[in-house]
């Protein structure tokens, strides 16, 4: 079995690459990643020399690159993580999000049609459903909740989802989609809430909380996301969407206070800043379908996961310090430029 993992040098993709290599030592894993600011080969350094793993630098929206890869490697399964993933950046520069998240998905699926595939899996997000009000804790996103995206990021992911389902209906492409809640854990890029707050708190820098910090996110430890995708690509029903989440809702302020407590840092570091435009209030996933159909349950509770994550950032300072000081961007040239 050959799996093509796009975006495998990013946060969740890299965790997934490692998860698959460990669980299926006889699978060949190919990673295609453009190494944008969010891609980091240092994250994959422990699997780079594995004979069953191959890294290729390239853009999913480049047809020539993608077709060549399919021609040479003939993947059986494609798991598409590659994306521009940060809402705040999408507000600054929407176009890049459309190019990667929509056109990139189309190019990958056209390659799947041309060369044949057992499964194309699209890694999507609960953000395609828009948001829920804070005063209705009884409401959750199900797979039937209408698409109602708020940001250029979520609109681009929603567009890609529609395209994936259209390719199934029109061309009979064997697709699945997963829509997951906010992930956290090792190798999370320190522009996102949890790693940003951990790394800034360690440096005793102010922690910028948007608005009043009352927005709610449903947090899932990254390994639980990987196990869900593993189940979907092997046992999921073609043409179906699966929501992934573990009922770990927290306000942003709660999350930041938990991090400060774990690090023994003062709450005086919290600084309330101007809110994000169009800021979604609450995300909350109903994971009944994936539990009932595929038997998936998350293993890591938030209290445990946040401790694991803080410990990881304490023990892997060089990983995020290289990001903060920009060194990671020259790593590819230094390590692989002459290979
Ligand atoms: P990330 O930003 O950490 O990583 C994205 C990766 O994609 C990077 O390695 C980057 O170099 C690569 N990439 C970007 N543009 C590319 C292109 N044109 N061609 C090839 N590679 C490209 O993102 P993440 O947090 O790991 O998210 C991965 C996927 O999961 C995304 O599709 C995202 O929408 C989805 N998702 C993320 C979360 C979350 O909480 N982070 C939750 C649900 C879904
Ligand atoms: P983020 O990690 O960007 O994920 P998403 O917007 O995709 O949910 O942000 C999580 C929450 O944290 C979101 O409500 C915005 C908020 N936030 C802050 O309050 N301060 C920050 O510096 C960042 C990056 C996010």
């Amino acid at each position: 079995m050959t799996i093509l993992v796009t975006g495998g040098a990013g946060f969740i993709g890299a965790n997934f690459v490692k998860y698959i290599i460990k669980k299926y030592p006889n699978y060949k894993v190919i990673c295609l990643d453009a190494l944008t600011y969010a891609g980091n080969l240092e994250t994959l350094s422990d699997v780079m020399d594995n004979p069953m793993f191959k890294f290729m630098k390239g853009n999913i929206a480049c047809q020539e690159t993608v077709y060549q890869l399919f021609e040479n490697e003939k993947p059986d399964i494609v798991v598409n993580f590659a994306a521009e993933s940060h809402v705040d950046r999408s507000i600054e520069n929407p176009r890049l999000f459309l190019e990667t998240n929509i056109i990139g998905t189309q190019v990958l699926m056209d390659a799947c049609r041309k060369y044949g595939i057992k499964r194309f899996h699209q890694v999507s997000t609960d953000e395609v459903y828009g948001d829920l009000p804070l005063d209705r804790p009884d409401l959750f996103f199900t797979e039937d909740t209408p698409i109602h995206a708020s940001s250029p990021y979520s609109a681009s992911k929603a567009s890609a989802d529609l395209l994936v389902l259209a390719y199934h209906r029109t061309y009979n492409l064997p697709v699945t989609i997963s829509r997951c809640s906010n992930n956290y854990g090792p190798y999370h890029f320190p522009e996102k809430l949890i790693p940003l707050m951990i790394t800034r708190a360690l440096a005793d820098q102010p922690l910028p909380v948007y608005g009043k910090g009352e927005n709610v996110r449903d947090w899932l430890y990254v390994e639980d996301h990987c196990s869900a995708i593993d189940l979907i690509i092997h046992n999921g029903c073609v043409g179906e969407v699966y929501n992934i989440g573990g009922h770990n809702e927290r306000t942003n302020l709660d999350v930041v206070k938990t991090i400060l407590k774990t690090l023994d840092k003062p709450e005086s570091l919290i600084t309330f800043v101007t809110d994000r435009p169009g800021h979604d209030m609450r995300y909350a996933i109903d994971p009944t379908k994936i539990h009932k159909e595929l038997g998936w349950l998350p293993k890591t509770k938030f209290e445990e996961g946040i401790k694991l994550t803080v410990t990881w950032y304490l023990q892997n300072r060089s990983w995020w310090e290289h990001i903060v000081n920009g060194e990671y961007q020259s790593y590819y040239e230094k390590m692989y430029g002459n290979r």
Side-chain angles (χ1 to χ4, degrees):
M1 186 73 82
T2 299
I3 299 199
L4 170 61
V5 179
T6 68
F11 164 45
I12 310 174
N15 276 282
F16 184 75
V17 162
K18 291 171 198 227
Y19 182 96
I20 292 292
I21 287 178
K22 194 169 167 203
K23 185 161 174 191
Y24 304 101
N26 58 336
Y27 279 21
K28 192 168 175 196
V29 180
I30 317 278
C31 169
L32 174 67
D33 196 297
L35 295 182
T36 68
Y37 80 93
N40 184 353
L41 264 200
E42 287 189 45
T43 305
L44 292 172
S45 55
D46 55 334
V47 294
M48 277 315 252
D49 291 330
N50 186 318
M52 298 304 277
F53 177 73
K54 189 169 177 181
F55 177 82
M56 294 179 68
K57 185 175 176 193
N59 186 341
I60 58 163
C62 173
Q63 180 171 303
E64 204 187 327
T65 303
V66 171
Y67 281 21
Q68 194 63 56
L69 187 156
F70 272 70
E71 184 102 38
N72 296 340
E73 307 293 343
K74 301 185 174 45
D76 300 291
I77 300 176
V78 175
V79 184
N80 182 26
F81 290 93
E84 287 295 330
S85 67
H86 192 36
V87 172
D88 293 326
R89 286 180 190 254
S90 82
I91 295 168
E92 295 303 315
N93 179 12
R95 183 170 176 130
L96 182 57
F97 284 68
L98 273 53
E99 284 165 0
T100 290
N101 300 1
I102 307 174
I103 303 297
T105 303
Q106 172 247 318
V107 169
L108 285 172
M109 288 195 298
D110 280 346
C112 291
R113 287 176 56 216
K114 183 171 160 72
Y115 294 94
I117 196 85
K118 291 197 176 83
R119 180 69 63 88
F120 176 84
H121 182 74
Q122 176 72 357
V123 180
S124 187
T125 164
D126 60 356
E127 302 191 26
V128 301
Y129 298 122
D131 64 352
L132 297 164
L134 290 181
D135 60 356
R136 288 293 306 275
D138 55 313
L139 295 180
F140 296 91
F141 297 135
T142 73
E143 290 78 2
D144 296 325
T145 302
I147 298 286
H148 196 262
S150 313
S151 68
Y153 163 67
S154 53
S156 69
K157 293 295 289 186
S159 307
D161 281 14
L162 294 177
L163 205 55
V164 171
L165 295 174
Y167 268 57
H168 174 60
R169 168 104 186 221
T170 306
Y171 307 114
N172 217 12
L173 196 71
V175 306
T176 39
I177 296 177
S178 52
R179 294 183 179 143
C180 190
S181 59
N182 285 61
N183 283 214
Y184 68 104
Y187 303 111
H188 203 179
F189 196 84
E191 66 181 350
K192 306 281 171 62
L193 180 75
I194 289 182
L196 183 87
M197 298 301 167
I198 295 173
T199 53
R200 288 184 69 88
L202 282 171
D204 296 308
Q205 289 169 331
L207 309 185
V209 171
Y210 298 164
K212 294 184 195 147
E214 62 188 359
N215 306 62
V216 170
R217 296 293 182 265
D218 185 358
W219 294 98
L220 187 73
Y221 194 61
V222 63
E223 203 172 280
D224 285 323
H225 188 182
C226 296
S227 72
I229 296 174
D230 175 21
L231 276 177
I232 296 168
I233 58 177
H234 289 100
N235 305 328
C237 236
V238 161
E240 291 292 315
V241 175
Y242 294 91
N243 281 355
I244 307 172
H247 288 300
N248 278 311
E249 287 178 54
R250 298 282 184 290
T251 66
N252 293 339
L253 201 52
D254 274 350
V255 169
V256 174
K257 284 183 179 173
T258 305
I259 290 169
L260 287 171
K261 204 166 163 203
T262 313
L263 288 172
D264 200 19
K265 295 282 182 181
E267 287 188 9
S268 55
L269 287 176
I270 294 173
T271 314
F272 292 97
V273 299
T274 308
D275 210 352
R276 171 188 281 171
H279 198 173
D280 281 337
M281 287 314 302
R282 170 176 169 249
Y283 302 144
I285 281 276
D286 176 354
T288 307
K289 178 174 173 180
I290 189 167
H291 174 54
K292 283 206 168 140
E293 288 187 16
L294 304 179
W296 177 83
L297 276 177
K299 284 200 182 122
T300 308
K301 294 240 179 318
F302 186 75
E303 291 69 22
E304 186 195 342
I306 200 76
K307 279 197 193 112
L308 288 172
T309 305
V310 168
T311 304
W312 189 89
Y313 279 83
L314 282 169
Q315 290 174 347
N316 293 274
R317 278 192 101 104
S318 67
W319 181 85
W320 58 265
E321 279 174 355
H322 287 177
I323 291 177
V324 174
N325 68 24
E327 269 177 50
Y328 77 111
Q329 282 172 318
S330 56
Y331 184 83
Y332 182 83
E333 272 312 307
K334 201 169 71 196
M335 300 296 288
Y336 305 99
N338 298 321
R339 280 192 177 190

Short mmCIF file of all heavy atoms in Angstrom, two decimals, residues 85-88 127 153 182 188 191-194 196-197 208-211 213 215-217 219 252 273 276 279-281 283, ligand 2:
data_model
loop_
_atom_site.label_atom_id
_atom_site.label_comp_id
_atom_site.label_asym_id
_atom_site.label_seq_id
_atom_site.Cartn_x
_atom_site.Cartn_y
_atom_site.Cartn_z
N SER A 85 -3.80 27.36 6.53
CA SER A 85 -4.67 26.94 7.63
C SER A 85 -4.98 28.01 8.69
O SER A 85 -5.71 27.72 9.63
CB SER A 85 -4.04 25.73 8.33
OG SER A 85 -2.85 26.12 8.99
N HIS A 86 -4.42 29.20 8.53
CA HIS A 86 -4.60 30.17 9.63
C HIS A 86 -5.62 31.26 9.28
O HIS A 86 -5.43 32.01 8.32
CB HIS A 86 -3.24 30.79 9.97
CG HIS A 86 -3.25 31.57 11.26
ND1 HIS A 86 -3.99 31.19 12.36
CD2 HIS A 86 -2.60 32.69 11.62
CE1 HIS A 86 -3.79 32.06 13.33
NE2 HIS A 86 -2.96 32.98 12.91
N VAL A 87 -6.69 31.31 10.06
CA VAL A 87 -7.79 32.25 9.80
C VAL A 87 -7.28 33.70 9.69
O VAL A 87 -7.64 34.43 8.76
CB VAL A 87 -8.85 32.16 10.93
CG1 VAL A 87 -9.90 33.25 10.78
CG2 VAL A 87 -9.51 30.78 10.94
N ASP A 88 -6.41 34.10 10.61
CA ASP A 88 -5.94 35.51 10.60
C ASP A 88 -5.20 35.83 9.30
O ASP A 88 -5.34 36.92 8.74
CB ASP A 88 -5.03 35.78 11.80
CG ASP A 88 -5.80 35.71 13.12
OD1 ASP A 88 -6.99 36.08 13.13
OD2 ASP A 88 -5.23 35.26 14.13
N GLU A 127 -14.96 24.27 10.85
CA GLU A 127 -15.22 25.69 10.58
C GLU A 127 -16.11 25.90 9.35
O GLU A 127 -16.66 26.98 9.16
CB GLU A 127 -13.90 26.47 10.46
CG GLU A 127 -13.08 26.33 11.72
CD GLU A 127 -11.88 27.26 11.83
OE1 GLU A 127 -11.89 28.34 11.23
OE2 GLU A 127 -10.94 26.89 12.55
N TYR A 153 -10.67 31.59 5.07
CA TYR A 153 -10.14 30.23 5.30
C TYR A 153 -11.27 29.20 5.26
O TYR A 153 -11.22 28.25 4.48
CB TYR A 153 -9.40 30.16 6.65
CG TYR A 153 -9.20 28.73 7.13
CD1 TYR A 153 -8.36 27.86 6.46
CD2 TYR A 153 -9.87 28.25 8.27
CE1 TYR A 153 -8.19 26.54 6.89
CE2 TYR A 153 -9.71 26.94 8.71
CZ TYR A 153 -8.87 26.09 8.03
OH TYR A 153 -8.71 24.79 8.45
N ASN A 182 -10.78 21.87 16.53
CA ASN A 182 -9.41 22.39 16.73
C ASN A 182 -8.49 21.33 17.32
O ASN A 182 -8.82 20.73 18.35
CB ASN A 182 -9.44 23.58 17.69
CG ASN A 182 -9.98 24.84 17.05
OD1 ASN A 182 -11.13 24.87 16.61
ND2 ASN A 182 -9.17 25.87 16.98
N HIS A 188 2.82 21.87 16.78
CA HIS A 188 1.81 22.85 16.38
C HIS A 188 2.52 24.19 16.16
O HIS A 188 3.23 24.66 17.04
CB HIS A 188 0.78 22.97 17.51
CG HIS A 188 -0.55 23.47 17.07
ND1 HIS A 188 -1.60 23.63 17.94
CD2 HIS A 188 -1.02 23.87 15.87
CE1 HIS A 188 -2.66 24.08 17.30
NE2 HIS A 188 -2.33 24.25 16.03
N GLU A 191 1.84 30.05 15.78
CA GLU A 191 0.99 31.20 15.45
C GLU A 191 -0.42 30.91 15.94
O GLU A 191 -1.25 31.81 16.03
CB GLU A 191 0.94 31.43 13.93
CG GLU A 191 0.26 30.29 13.18
CD GLU A 191 0.21 30.46 11.67
OE1 GLU A 191 0.53 31.54 11.16
OE2 GLU A 191 -0.16 29.47 11.00
N LYS A 192 -0.72 29.63 16.24
CA LYS A 192 -2.06 29.23 16.68
C LYS A 192 -2.15 29.36 18.19
O LYS A 192 -1.14 29.36 18.89
CB LYS A 192 -2.33 27.78 16.24
CG LYS A 192 -2.14 27.52 14.74
CD LYS A 192 -3.31 28.01 13.92
CE LYS A 192 -3.05 27.97 12.43
NZ LYS A 192 -2.80 26.70 11.83
N LEU A 193 -3.40 29.44 18.69
CA LEU A 193 -3.61 29.85 20.08
C LEU A 193 -2.73 29.11 21.09
O LEU A 193 -1.95 29.75 21.83
CB LEU A 193 -5.08 29.66 20.47
CG LEU A 193 -5.38 30.07 21.92
CD1 LEU A 193 -5.42 31.58 22.07
CD2 LEU A 193 -6.69 29.48 22.42
N ILE A 194 -2.82 27.78 21.15
CA ILE A 194 -2.16 27.05 22.25
C ILE A 194 -0.63 27.16 22.19
O ILE A 194 -0.01 27.60 23.17
CB ILE A 194 -2.69 25.59 22.32
CG1 ILE A 194 -4.13 25.64 22.85
CG2 ILE A 194 -1.79 24.72 23.19
CD1 ILE A 194 -4.82 24.31 23.05
N LEU A 196 1.16 29.37 20.64
CA LEU A 196 1.54 30.78 20.78
C LEU A 196 1.59 31.18 22.25
O LEU A 196 2.54 31.81 22.72
CB LEU A 196 0.54 31.69 20.03
CG LEU A 196 0.90 33.17 20.04
CD1 LEU A 196 1.84 33.51 18.89
CD2 LEU A 196 -0.34 34.05 19.93
N MET A 197 0.55 30.75 22.98
CA MET A 197 0.48 31.13 24.39
C MET A 197 1.56 30.43 25.21
O MET A 197 2.16 31.03 26.10
CB MET A 197 -0.92 30.81 24.95
CG MET A 197 -2.04 31.57 24.27
SD MET A 197 -1.82 33.37 24.40
CE MET A 197 -3.01 33.97 23.20
N PRO A 208 -1.78 37.72 23.85
CA PRO A 208 -2.88 38.49 23.22
C PRO A 208 -4.16 37.66 23.08
O PRO A 208 -4.25 36.77 22.23
CB PRO A 208 -2.31 38.82 21.83
CG PRO A 208 -1.33 37.71 21.55
CD PRO A 208 -0.80 37.24 22.87
N VAL A 209 -5.15 37.95 23.91
CA VAL A 209 -6.44 37.25 23.84
C VAL A 209 -7.42 38.16 23.09
O VAL A 209 -7.62 39.32 23.47
CB VAL A 209 -6.96 36.93 25.26
CG1 VAL A 209 -8.38 36.39 25.21
CG2 VAL A 209 -6.04 35.91 25.93
N TYR A 210 -8.01 37.62 22.02
CA TYR A 210 -8.92 38.42 21.19
C TYR A 210 -10.24 38.68 21.92
O TYR A 210 -10.83 37.75 22.51
CB TYR A 210 -9.24 37.69 19.88
CG TYR A 210 -8.06 37.41 18.97
CD1 TYR A 210 -8.18 36.48 17.93
CD2 TYR A 210 -6.84 38.06 19.11
CE1 TYR A 210 -7.12 36.22 17.07
CE2 TYR A 210 -5.78 37.80 18.26
CZ TYR A 210 -5.92 36.88 17.25
OH TYR A 210 -4.87 36.61 16.41
N GLY A 211 -10.73 39.93 21.81
CA GLY A 211 -12.03 40.27 22.40
C GLY A 211 -12.01 40.03 23.90
O GLY A 211 -11.07 40.42 24.61
N GLY A 213 -12.20 36.92 25.15
CA GLY A 213 -11.70 35.57 25.41
C GLY A 213 -12.81 34.57 25.67
O GLY A 213 -12.58 33.48 26.19
N ASN A 215 -14.86 33.22 23.36
CA ASN A 215 -15.15 32.30 22.25
C ASN A 215 -14.78 30.88 22.67
O ASN A 215 -13.80 30.67 23.38
CB ASN A 215 -14.33 32.70 21.01
CG ASN A 215 -14.57 34.15 20.65
OD1 ASN A 215 -14.26 35.03 21.44
ND2 ASN A 215 -15.12 34.40 19.48
N VAL A 216 -15.58 29.93 22.17
CA VAL A 216 -15.39 28.53 22.58
C VAL A 216 -14.88 27.70 21.42
O VAL A 216 -15.39 27.80 20.30
CB VAL A 216 -16.73 27.95 23.09
CG1 VAL A 216 -16.65 26.44 23.30
CG2 VAL A 216 -17.15 28.64 24.38
N ARG A 217 -13.84 26.91 21.68
CA ARG A 217 -13.34 25.94 20.71
C ARG A 217 -13.41 24.55 21.33
O ARG A 217 -13.34 24.40 22.55
CB ARG A 217 -11.88 26.27 20.31
CG ARG A 217 -11.72 27.63 19.59
CD ARG A 217 -12.40 27.59 18.24
NE ARG A 217 -12.29 28.81 17.46
CZ ARG A 217 -13.19 29.80 17.42
NH1 ARG A 217 -14.29 29.72 18.16
NH2 ARG A 217 -13.02 30.84 16.63
N TRP A 219 -11.52 21.24 21.63
CA TRP A 219 -10.13 20.85 21.40
C TRP A 219 -9.94 19.33 21.33
O TRP A 219 -10.47 18.60 22.15
CB TRP A 219 -9.24 21.43 22.52
CG TRP A 219 -9.20 22.92 22.45
CD1 TRP A 219 -9.93 23.80 23.20
CD2 TRP A 219 -8.41 23.71 21.55
NE1 TRP A 219 -9.64 25.10 22.83
CE2 TRP A 219 -8.71 25.07 21.83
CE3 TRP A 219 -7.47 23.42 20.55
CZ2 TRP A 219 -8.10 26.12 21.12
CZ3 TRP A 219 -6.88 24.46 19.86
CH2 TRP A 219 -7.19 25.78 20.16
N ASN A 252 -11.55 30.43 25.22
CA ASN A 252 -10.13 30.75 25.01
C ASN A 252 -9.46 31.18 26.32
O ASN A 252 -8.32 30.82 26.59
CB ASN A 252 -9.99 31.86 23.96
CG ASN A 252 -10.43 31.39 22.58
OD1 ASN A 252 -10.46 30.19 22.31
ND2 ASN A 252 -10.76 32.33 21.71
N VAL A 273 -6.89 42.04 23.45
CA VAL A 273 -6.62 42.86 22.26
C VAL A 273 -7.87 42.90 21.37
O VAL A 273 -8.82 42.14 21.58
CB VAL A 273 -5.40 42.30 21.45
CG1 VAL A 273 -4.14 42.31 22.30
CG2 VAL A 273 -5.69 40.91 20.90
N ARG A 276 -10.85 39.57 16.46
CA ARG A 276 -10.71 39.16 15.05
C ARG A 276 -12.00 39.51 14.32
O ARG A 276 -13.09 39.22 14.83
CB ARG A 276 -10.49 37.65 15.04
CG ARG A 276 -10.54 37.00 13.69
CD ARG A 276 -10.50 35.47 13.81
NE ARG A 276 -9.19 34.95 14.05
CZ ARG A 276 -8.93 33.67 14.35
NH1 ARG A 276 -9.91 32.81 14.48
NH2 ARG A 276 -7.70 33.26 14.53
N HIS A 279 -15.21 36.97 13.93
CA HIS A 279 -14.77 35.91 14.86
C HIS A 279 -15.90 34.93 15.21
O HIS A 279 -16.90 35.33 15.83
CB HIS A 279 -14.24 36.58 16.13
CG HIS A 279 -13.39 35.71 16.98
ND1 HIS A 279 -12.71 36.18 18.07
CD2 HIS A 279 -13.08 34.40 16.89
CE1 HIS A 279 -12.04 35.20 18.63
NE2 HIS A 279 -12.26 34.11 17.94
N ASP A 280 -15.73 33.67 14.87
CA ASP A 280 -16.73 32.64 15.20
C ASP A 280 -16.82 32.48 16.72
O ASP A 280 -15.81 32.39 17.41
CB ASP A 280 -16.34 31.30 14.57
CG ASP A 280 -16.69 31.22 13.09
OD1 ASP A 280 -17.60 31.96 12.65
OD2 ASP A 280 -16.06 30.42 12.37
N MET A 281 -18.07 32.39 17.23
CA MET A 281 -18.26 32.34 18.68
C MET A 281 -17.96 30.96 19.26
O MET A 281 -17.18 30.83 20.18
CB MET A 281 -19.73 32.69 19.04
CG MET A 281 -20.09 34.16 18.89
SD MET A 281 -18.89 35.33 19.59
CE MET A 281 -18.80 34.88 21.29
N TYR A 283 -17.50 26.60 18.41
CA TYR A 283 -17.51 25.38 17.60
C TYR A 283 -17.77 24.21 18.55
O TYR A 283 -17.19 24.16 19.64
CB TYR A 283 -16.15 25.12 16.93
CG TYR A 283 -15.63 26.20 16.01
CD1 TYR A 283 -14.27 26.47 15.96
CD2 TYR A 283 -16.46 26.92 15.17
CE1 TYR A 283 -13.74 27.43 15.11
CE2 TYR A 283 -15.94 27.89 14.31
CZ TYR A 283 -14.59 28.14 14.29
OH TYR A 283 -14.07 29.09 13.44
P1 LIG B 2 -6.67 29.65 16.27
O1 LIG B 2 -5.67 28.81 16.98
O2 LIG B 2 -6.20 30.66 15.29
O3 LIG B 2 -7.72 28.65 15.61
P2 LIG B 2 -9.16 28.94 14.91
O4 LIG B 2 -9.31 30.40 14.70
O5 LIG B 2 -9.03 28.21 13.62
O6 LIG B 2 -10.17 28.38 15.83
O7 LIG B 2 -7.53 30.43 17.35
C1 LIG B 2 -8.26 29.73 18.34
C2 LIG B 2 -9.05 30.73 19.13
O8 LIG B 2 -8.14 31.59 19.83
C3 LIG B 2 -9.88 31.66 18.25
O9 LIG B 2 -11.10 31.92 18.91
C4 LIG B 2 -9.05 32.92 18.15
C5 LIG B 2 -8.32 32.96 19.48
N1 LIG B 2 -6.98 33.56 19.45
C6 LIG B 2 -6.65 34.55 20.38
O10 LIG B 2 -7.47 34.94 21.23
N2 LIG B 2 -5.40 35.09 20.34
C7 LIG B 2 -4.46 34.71 19.42
O11 LIG B 2 -3.33 35.26 19.43
C8 LIG B 2 -4.81 33.68 18.49
C9 LIG B 2 -3.81 33.23 17.45
C10 LIG B 2 -6.08 33.14 18.55
#
